[in-house]
Amino acid sequence: MDTTVDSSNSSFEQSLEKQTAPIEKIDVHYAGFWIRFWAYLIDLIVITSINRIIIYPILTLIGADTSNPSMFSPVTILSSITFFLYFVLMTKYLQQTLGKMVLGLKVKTLDDEPLTWGTVIFREFIGRYISKTFGGFLYIVTAFTPKKQGLHDIFADTTVIHEKLYTMTNSENKRAE
């Protein structure tokens, strides 16, 4: 009976050692201001296309005015909903928008946990709202922070990385084990 307990204890200790083994640091390449800017421009082209192909024709069919987009017009409200849904859904489910996909970027949390709805919504709604309040000039903060974080990233504890470089480095570390 003692040997069974000893062997189970030793296997437990071995599994504990594996779990508490030092974690290798993965070399992460953060995406800077300009590459994120180009990804954002690609995203704006996609969003504008969605609005022009879907939103505008529907509003025209129901007789809504699309030529004078005031602040609370149906076209402005639906375009804003499209904008935020695009960023929230793409970031939550794919960790990247189409612009980021084209340029090989990905949104990650600082602790490398999966993105939660709370994190994504906070990042995309509140963080972007604050950054856009000052005419978008606060996005330049990305160029000067060590992890290349915009204010919306800082608020949500996220950052944007080069996906291919992260994947290559991560797979090289696994091969070394």
Side-chain angles (χ1 to χ4, degrees):
M1 187 169 195
D2 288 334
T3 58
T4 332
V5 173
D6 289 338
S7 66
S8 67
N9 280 342
S10 66
S11 66
F12 174 73
E13 289 171 357
Q14 289 173 352
S15 68
L16 187 61
E17 286 174 6
K18 287 181 183 176
Q19 290 175 357
T20 58
I23 299 171
E24 291 184 35
K25 188 173 183 177
I26 297 173
D27 192 22
V28 177
H29 298 276
Y30 299 106
F33 173 78
W34 286 109
I35 194 160
R36 291 175 67 169
F37 173 77
W38 292 114
Y40 184 70
L41 286 182
I42 293 169
D43 290 329
L44 289 181
I45 291 169
V46 170
I47 293 167
T48 302
S49 299
I50 292 169
N51 286 333
R52 293 294 181 163
I53 292 170
I54 298 170
I55 303 298
Y56 277 69
I58 290 173
L59 289 175
T60 303
L61 281 175
I62 64 171
D65 183 24
T66 58
S67 62
N68 187 14
S70 64
M71 187 171 182
F72 295 108
S73 69
V75 70
T76 304
I77 292 169
L78 290 175
S79 295
S80 297
I81 290 170
T82 303
F83 179 87
F84 285 110
L85 281 178
Y86 171 81
F87 280 102
V88 167
L89 295 176
M90 293 290 290
T91 303
K92 171 60 179 145
Y93 289 115
L94 302 173
Q95 289 78 45
Q96 54 194 168
T97 59
L98 291 174
K100 287 182 180 75
M101 285 180 197
V102 167
L103 297 176
L105 306 177
K106 194 170 208 166
V107 179
K108 301 285 279 181
T109 59
L110 293 178
D111 56 3
D112 208 22
E113 294 292 322
L115 292 169
T116 63
W117 279 109
T119 300
V120 172
I121 290 171
F122 195 78
R123 178 182 194 268
E124 300 301 338
F125 278 111
I126 293 150
R128 283 194 191 272
Y129 177 78
I130 291 170
S131 293
K132 285 182 175 276
T133 299
F134 296 97
F137 292 113
L138 292 180
Y139 284 111
I140 200 73
V141 169
T142 305
F144 302 106
T145 58
K147 294 182 180 177
K148 306 299 181 196
Q149 295 173 287
L151 282 181
H152 58 292
D153 290 316
I154 293 169
F155 294 146
D157 289 332
T158 59
T159 190
V160 178
I161 62 167
H162 290 273
E163 180 183 30
K164 302 244 188 247
L165 296 174
Y166 175 78
T167 306
M168 286 178 8
T169 307
N170 198 10
S171 63
E172 288 172 4
N173 284 342
K174 286 183 182 176
R175 271 189 263 137
E177 292 176 355

